Amino acid sequence: MFTMREYVLAESLEQAYSLLTKGKANSILGGLLWMKMGNKAIGTGIDLSNLGLNKIEENDEEFKIGCMTTLRDIETNESLNKYFNNILKESVENIVGVQFRNSATIGGSIYSRFGFSDILTALLALDTKVEMYKGGIISLEDFCNMPYEKDILVNIIIKKNNCKSAYLTHRKSKTDFPVLAVAVSNSENGWKISVGGRPIKAELAYKAQSALSNNPTNEEIQTALDLVASELVYGTNMRGTKEYRELLAKVLVKRCIEKIIGGTSYAN
Ligand SMILES: Cc1cc2nc3c(=O)[nH]c(=O)nc-3n(C[C@H](O)[C@H](O)[C@H](O)COP(=O)(O)OP(=O)(O)OC[C@H]3O[C@@H](n4cnc5c(N)ncnc54)[C@H](O)[C@@H]3O)c2cc1C
């Protein structure tokens, strides 16, 4: 369990950022579910609960999800899930249990860029940006490749791009970490294939996604699947070997593509 010298309920983002950057050990507090697993000595713990950042807002162009929104709020938001073919719901519904998801925040989840992250995998397949207090609006893809800087993740912004999308994961048991997670989307801008839990954090398979035309042939799909296995790095841990994950990636990506083009429904 962590220790905390001082707790501050922030009155503004400006105050929160100033406190965060004042001391090396100062930290933003999300739902605390990951932090409580560690033994960090926190100086000032900064709580953003009072800043109205626990909402999912929608306009004609985008969805905006505040950093203190819980994974459960995302799972149960009808409009968001209807628009993105339920992939956000499906990416979080295996994470521990409802009580857990009622506390875990999207800010803590995405800021952490975990190698096992289901929701990071799903959001990367969409047209997603993160709004950082100091760093401004950055594509999620760029954010994934950035070092961990002291900043506040304020909002997640997902563009309404009329995409079709699908998400699949393989787990040894229902609430365990994923052995592999895959999200695929297709919009007028082409395909996106995101593979996470390798157990390295989610990445897009650029070569594979560009091998697919809008209405892909079987040959194109086969080429894409071979590329998915060869262009990304897969690793071995207690949940599976590198070789197993490479094979699994091909299967899950194929099923996601089929779900999108053919309406085939695979149970997760
Ligand atoms: C037992 C367990 C099992 C899990 N299983 C899975 C799983 O199967 N799949 C999966 O995808 N995830 C899983 N997770 C991760 C979980 O879903 C959350 O992502 C995780 O708990 C972080 O969310 P939090 O709100 O608890 O963040 P916290 O623990 O509060 O914070 C995590 C980190 O993010 C920082 N932070 C928090 N909010 C912000 C912000 N707005 N701006 C900047 N920094 C911020 C904190 O300072 C801290 O460094 C699991 C976690 C646990 C503890």
Side-chain angles (χ1 to χ4, degrees):
M1 180 56 97
F2 62 83
T3 58
M4 187 159 57
R5 194 170 33 79
E6 188 193 12
Y7 164 87
V8 174
L9 183 61
E11 285 168 13
S12 66
L13 279 170
E14 195 181 10
Q15 182 206 14
Y17 183 75
S18 145
L19 285 170
L20 179 66
T21 47
K22 219 179 224 169
K24 213 172 159 201
N26 297 354
S27 293
I28 300 292
L29 310 174
L32 291 179
L33 293 158
W34 189 256
M35 289 172 90
K36 78 174 168 54
M37 307 286 284
N39 52 9
K40 191 173 168 186
I42 298 174
T44 302
I46 306 148
D47 185 351
L48 309 176
S49 300
N50 240 6
L51 304 181
L53 291 169
N54 59 344
K55 294 188 204 104
I56 300 176
E57 290 167 320
E58 176 185 1
N59 63 29
D60 289 346
E61 267 107 55
E62 62 193 27
F63 288 93
K64 194 194 258 190
I65 308 176
C67 63
M68 293 303 284
T69 303
T70 67
L71 300 187
R72 181 68 177 163
D73 288 334
I74 291 174
E75 182 182 352
T76 56
N77 188 288
E78 276 183 27
S79 185
L80 186 65
N81 283 298
K82 191 167 172 216
Y83 195 89
F84 295 113
N85 311 107
N86 283 326
I87 73 162
L88 297 176
K89 173 180 181 290
E90 287 169 8
S91 74
V92 299
E93 67 191 3
N94 284 310
I95 302 176
V96 188
V98 170
Q99 282 176 310
F100 182 98
R101 300 196 294 277
N102 266 329
S103 300
T105 63
I106 190 68
S109 301
I110 298 304
Y111 179 80
S112 301
R113 289 157 272 182
F114 297 118
F116 54 77
S117 181
D118 291 282
I119 184 88
L120 181 64
T121 307
L123 285 171
L124 199 57
L126 304 178
D127 192 345
T128 307
K129 294 189 169 62
V130 294
E131 182 186 340
M132 305 302 293
Y133 177 75
K134 194 69 185 170
I137 296 178
I138 314 163
S139 75
L140 180 60
E141 222 174 312
D142 289 343
F143 183 66
C144 283
N145 295 322
M146 281 168 56
Y148 291 87
E149 282 166 9
K150 275 207 172 259
D151 201 346
I152 303 171
L153 193 162
V154 183
N155 289 301
I156 303 282
I157 300 161
I158 321 175
K159 194 173 167 197
K160 289 183 167 176
N161 62 354
N162 289 316
C163 66
K164 286 185 180 165
S165 51
Y167 179 85
L168 286 170
T169 176
H170 178 71
R171 299 170 125 80
K172 286 186 158 231
S173 63
K174 205 160 190 265
T175 57
D176 193 10
F177 288 123
V179 179
L180 199 81
V182 166
V184 178
S185 74
N186 179 231
S187 70
E188 59 181 18
N189 297 322
W191 290 84
K192 281 191 174 191
I193 300 175
S194 163
V195 187
R198 293 173 286 124
I200 302 153
K201 76 181 163 210
E203 266 180 90
L204 292 175
Y206 294 106
K207 290 182 190 161
Q209 62 195 34
S210 58
L212 296 170
S213 62
N214 230 9
N215 205 355
T217 61
N218 287 341
E219 271 175 12
E220 285 172 356
I221 295 175
Q222 194 49 54
T223 305
L225 299 180
D226 291 339
L227 286 167
V228 157
S230 62
E231 75 174 289
L232 297 175
V233 176
Y234 296 81
T236 297
N237 68 358
M238 62 189 281
R239 289 182 178 77
T241 62
K242 167 185 183 305
E243 292 76 17
Y244 178 51
R245 285 191 163 96
E246 284 170 3
L247 288 173
L248 205 52
K250 287 181 165 192
V251 174
L252 297 186
V253 170
K254 183 168 188 238
R255 289 180 181 179
C256 281
I257 294 171
E258 285 173 353
K259 250 178 148 180
I260 290 172
I261 59 178
T264 314
S265 171
Y266 290 97
N268 220 332

